Amino acid sequence: MSSADGQEPTTAAEATATPGANPAALTNEQVASLFHEIADVLEIQGELPFKIGAYRRAADSIAHSPIDIMTAYRAGTPPRLPGVGKAIDEKLAELAATGRMGYHERLVAAVPPSLVTLLRVPGVGPRTAGDLWRALGVATLDDLELAAREGRLRTVKGISAKTEQRILEGIAEVAARPPKRMHMAEARELADRLVALAETWPGVASAQAGGSVRRGRETVGDLDLLVATDDQAAVLDEVHRAPGVERVVTGVRGGGYRTSVQLLRGPQLDVMTMRPGREGTYLVHFTGSAAHNVRLRERARDLGWSLSEHGFARIDESGEVVTGDGAELRTFATEAEVYDFLGLPWIEPELREDRGEIEAALAGTLPRLVRVEDLQGDCHTHSEWTDGKESIETMAQAARQLGYAYQVLTDHSWSLTIANGLSPTQVEQQRRVIGDLNERFAREEAAGEAPPGAHPSGFRLLHGCEMEIRIDGRLDYDDALLARFDVVVASLHVGRRQSRAQLMARYETALRSPHVDIIAHPSGRKIDQRPDLDLDWDRFYRLAAETGTLLEVNGSDERLDLDDRRARAALDAGCRFTIDSDAHYLSEWDNVRWGTAMARRGWLEARHVANTLPREAFLAVMAEKPHRV
Ligand code: DGT
Ligand code: CA
Ligand code: CA
Ligand code: ZN
């Protein structure tokens, strides 16, 4: 499957093998997906499970690494990754050096490329796909559907008439599925990379992301990149030749200022260029949202101007836009000047959804949104004592170096057996480990030996738990034990399908407990995987406000829970919050960035978020319910 026969490149390795390609533009996610693809093909070929498992483990460890793998290899400092042995290390080195991975290319060439699309059908794994291909020659979704309709699938060993029916339903589901939107964390990472890449292009004055990424939406349809340059043609040319670009979707258009390309294993990218000094209206327009823009354009009209991405044009008495030679076009370098021209203060991108921000801007009541830098601690984190992947000490050292004043360790409670929940005895053991670590931290601080980046007030590990609200409605530890924790985070993982009344009763028990400080990920959703719990939300917010129980904005990018609308509704109901990472891996400390984006979109200020408080003040709030932040 080489590009020499004129086909479009179909793998990351091929596409990055173009001259001048920069493999550092491959994200960890993209590298991981190459290894998952290797595992898929091996599984299709019926290889032994241990070999397949090795590639999947390596892929997971690459995807979760806090280090940018390709950059590290290119710098000659390959990181040691769990699950990455010599064979995979060599493949990573090859990818970093040449932009290609020969093994991946050979493997993928050995099976029909369309076979991988079968894996999108629920109920069809790589093994089944391989069996169907070998037995029936099924290689495409159409082949699969036809064979299922004709009842031929059930002639294959291991496939029953029932499975056949499920596969048919799965095919219908795939067809009905809306195009997948990227999650925020990956979109942000890709956008940051593209901005950095654009800044290296000749003649570029500045580059930045617009669209839903800049507004911090939880999922992103396509990426929008704004580039200020004196040579627009040269920049658009660079875009078309950039590494990681699969194909040009629409060539240069709009009078030569914009283009759209499809990114490999990624979304579409829209690039807009403008002359330096004129960025203001372009940024406003391409940041959106469309609904916010509509409001701005109405306001411009009322003032006698027509607002487009290019600037403000005069409208004559008949309401027509004045065009032609010498027609006035007001342009601005910054967004602040654009808003000022409209008689408005600058509005934060996260607020630009037409959810009352224009009115608040006019009334002078825009919120001062919470920032990631405001967070002094993280109230929801895990260690290898339950389902985290690092030791308590490793997690704490990382939190310390990130500049936090505190980290609440919240491993799971014992009824959550799938997550290795802790028994009361283990809780006591854990308390001693934490005590010893804190003594050491205090000694180091007293000796002036705190690590670089540490918080001026020092760092302490606080003892918390993520206590399961049991399926029978009871709390998982007794009151005496709960009272001994610094912070109790309560959550609900099992019995998710109970009735609204049952779920509300479980939450009410937790909210009314004098020991429960925070409700973690209240809706229980996982984006694209699991629906929300069926709750009476108004009542839930009322109870949280009344009992002074904090609600978490969980930053794990598959959760983002509370989401922006719920955070806003809870705020309006008088609730107070925490913003947490729910980190299980070192790479997940960063989750607070996504949680903060949700909180900002929910209009939260630092004063509404308990973990913006210094350590002593935070502990004072946690000491007594109702918590008054
Ligand atoms: P996405 O890509 O679906 O996650 O969401 P956005 O907001 O990034 O939407 P996108 O990429 O279609 O357009 C970027 C911005 O450009 C959008 O937020 C506002 C502006 N824009 C695009 N099309 C229109 C339009 O038809 N009307 C208005 N008022 N603005 C538009
Ligand atoms: Ca977009
Ligand atoms: Ca777009
Ligand atoms: Zn958790």
Side-chain angles (χ1 to χ4, degrees):
M1 210 171 25
S2 78
S3 315
D5 57 10
Q7 284 188 342
E8 278 178 19
T10 50
T11 69
E14 272 180 273
T16 51
T18 50
N22 176 6
L26 279 172
T27 65
N28 288 357
E29 291 278 347
Q30 288 168 308
V31 175
S33 79
L34 287 176
F35 285 105
H36 275 304
E37 213 165 79
I38 288 175
D40 286 346
V41 176
L42 291 175
E43 210 168 337
I44 285 170
Q45 291 177 335
E47 278 284 351
L48 292 172
F50 81 89
K51 191 166 169 188
I52 299 159
Y55 282 102
R56 298 228 188 267
R57 269 194 305 284
D60 283 341
S61 134
I62 289 163
H64 283 114
S65 170
I67 297 162
D68 188 65
I69 309 275
M70 281 297 105
T71 307
Y73 269 88
R74 282 162 64 80
T77 53
R80 289 167 62 92
L81 297 167
V84 171
K86 185 153 168 292
I88 290 167
D89 173 66
E90 280 168 3
K91 293 181 179 65
L92 287 169
E94 179 195 354
L95 185 63
T98 67
R100 313 182 63 113
M101 196 194 295
Y103 180 64
H104 173 267
E105 288 173 32
R106 285 193 300 279
L107 261 188
V108 170
V111 302
S114 57
L115 210 51
V116 181
T117 62
L118 299 190
L119 306 182
R120 294 208 299 260
V121 178
V124 180
R127 192 159 300 270
T128 309
D131 289 345
L132 292 172
W133 177 46
R134 279 184 295 271
L136 304 172
V138 164
T140 65
L141 278 176
D142 287 344
D143 294 348
L144 183 68
E145 180 165 6
L146 188 67
R149 288 199 187 290
E150 292 176 349
R152 283 185 287 126
L153 297 189
R154 66 185 83 162
T155 65
V156 177
K157 190 168 153 265
I159 297 188
S160 63
K162 207 170 142 208
T163 313
E164 190 175 67
Q165 185 55 34
R166 195 150 41 85
I167 289 174
L168 261 181
E169 288 161 13
I171 294 169
E173 256 176 62
V174 170
R177 219 176 265 168
K180 202 164 179 292
R181 293 173 63 87
M182 217 186 341
H183 290 195
M184 183 202 291
E186 204 189 342
R188 187 77 247 177
E189 186 184 351
L190 209 49
D192 288 348
R193 264 164 209 277
L194 290 164
V195 166
L197 181 66
E199 282 169 346
T200 68
W201 292 333
V204 168
S206 69
Q208 63 175 300
S212 49
V213 170
R214 184 165 179 235
R215 301 199 313 281
R217 269 193 69 176
E218 64 185 35
T219 62
V220 165
D222 67 16
L223 295 177
D224 303 279
L225 182 66
L226 292 126
V227 183
T229 174
D230 280 320
D231 193 344
Q232 295 175 302
V235 164
L236 297 175
D237 211 43
E238 290 281 358
V239 173
H240 293 163
R241 291 190 296 127
V245 167
E246 189 178 78
R247 65 195 158 85
V248 176
V249 178
T250 46
V252 177
R253 64 184 194 285
Y257 88 100
R258 59 186 298 189
T259 188
S260 298
V261 295
Q262 176 64 46
L263 298 177
L264 192 82
R265 283 162 204 287
Q268 183 174 307
L269 168 68
D270 293 342
V271 181
M272 279 65 70
T273 61
M274 79 292 303
R275 310 280 276 289
R278 298 187 169 200
E279 295 94 327
T281 48
Y282 289 90
L283 268 173
V284 168
H285 182 85
F286 289 108
T287 296
S289 65
H292 178 83
N293 288 356
V294 167
R295 296 294 307 277
L296 294 185
R297 284 207 293 268
E298 282 170 7
R299 209 171 148 74
R301 286 222 154 238
D302 292 345
L303 299 170
W305 297 90
S306 164
L307 170 59
S308 75
E309 64 268 44
H310 305 293
F312 292 91
R314 261 288 173 212
I315 302 172
D316 64 21
E317 299 79 58
S318 60
E320 294 296 311
V321 177
V322 181
T323 54
D325 280 354
E328 194 181 359
L329 183 72
R330 296 290 301 270
T331 63
F332 297 99
T334 66
E335 283 191 338
E337 292 165 285
V338 176
Y339 281 99
D340 188 56
F341 189 75
L342 292 168
L344 297 168
W346 181 75
I347 298 176
E348 301 262 17
E350 291 92 337
L351 299 179
R352 300 183 196 171
E353 298 288 350
D354 192 21
R355 295 181 187 164
E357 72 279 10
I358 306 276
E359 290 74 8
L362 286 168
T365 55
L366 283 171
R368 290 168 52 98
L369 299 181
V370 61
R371 299 165 308 157
V372 184
E373 307 86 80
D374 294 329
L375 300 179
Q376 304 287 312
D378 192 322
C379 308
H380 185 167
T381 67
H382 295 275
S383 77
E384 65 189 0
W385 282 51
T386 57
D387 59 349
K389 305 297 173 209
E390 303 288 347
S391 69
I392 295 175
E393 179 180 353
T394 302
M395 288 301 269
Q397 281 293 14
R400 212 176 167 206
Q401 278 162 22
L402 285 167
Y404 281 127
Y406 48 98
Q407 171 203 346
V408 188
L409 179 66
T410 53
D411 272 322
H412 292 283
S413 62
W414 58 348
S415 79
L416 203 63
T417 46
I418 46 160
N420 245 332
L422 303 183
S423 70
T425 315
Q426 289 172 304
V427 168
E428 294 303 333
Q429 287 164 354
Q430 193 174 61
R431 187 191 319 283
R432 285 195 291 279
V433 171
I434 289 174
D436 289 348
L437 277 171
N438 280 333
E439 271 177 35
R440 202 186 91 202
F441 296 150
R443 266 201 314 279
E444 287 175 5
E445 284 156 16
E449 284 162 5
H455 196 277
S457 79
F459 172 85
R460 291 297 176 273
L461 195 50
L462 306 182
H463 195 199
C465 64
E466 180 169 7
M467 185 207 55
E468 189 67 16
I469 306 166
R470 283 162 30 167
I471 199 157
D472 61 8
R474 285 185 299 157
L475 304 182
D476 210 12
Y477 293 135
D478 65 28
D479 279 350
L481 182 57
L482 287 178
R484 286 169 57 76
F485 288 103
D486 296 314
V487 177
V488 173
V489 174
S491 67
L492 187 160
H493 295 89
V494 292
R496 298 173 30 87
R497 287 166 198 272
Q498 285 180 336
S499 70
R500 176 179 291 204
Q502 282 172 305
L503 289 169
M504 284 303 296
R506 285 165 77 188
Y507 265 146
E508 184 162 352
T509 306
L511 288 160
R512 293 206 186 279
S513 159
H515 305 295
V516 170
D517 301 299
I518 302 166
I519 304 288
H521 45 72
S523 89
R525 68 138 175 201
K526 286 198 177 175
I527 299 172
D528 297 334
Q529 294 175 53
R530 267 189 209 160
D532 297 348
L533 299 171
D534 181 19
L535 301 180
D536 177 348
W537 282 99
D538 288 335
R539 182 170 157 72
F540 178 78
Y541 300 144
R542 253 198 332 273
L543 282 169
E546 180 189 310
T547 58
T549 313
L550 306 175
L551 299 183
E552 178 184 71
V553 179
N554 185 297
S556 161
D557 101 307
E558 57 176 14
R559 288 195 181 274
L560 298 177
D561 181 7
L562 300 169
D563 69 10
D564 49 355
R565 289 172 186 276
R566 293 208 166 114
R568 178 87 179 273
L571 179 65
D572 290 345
C575 297
R576 293 294 179 262
F577 305 87
T578 63
I579 300 172
D580 304 322
S581 69
D582 200 354
H584 290 69
Y585 294 84
L586 285 176
S587 63
E588 290 179 345
W589 285 110
D590 245 11
N591 286 351
V592 290
R593 284 177 68 193
W594 328 130
T596 303
M598 276 306 106
R600 289 168 63 85
R601 289 175 59 83
W603 293 48
L604 268 56
E605 305 190 13
R607 65 193 171 91
H608 302 131
V609 180
N611 52 324
T612 63
L613 291 170
R615 190 170 59 241
E616 295 310 318
F618 173 78
L619 283 169
V621 165
M622 289 298 163
E624 210 174 342
K625 267 180 95 172
H627 297 322
R628 296 285 171 233
V629 177

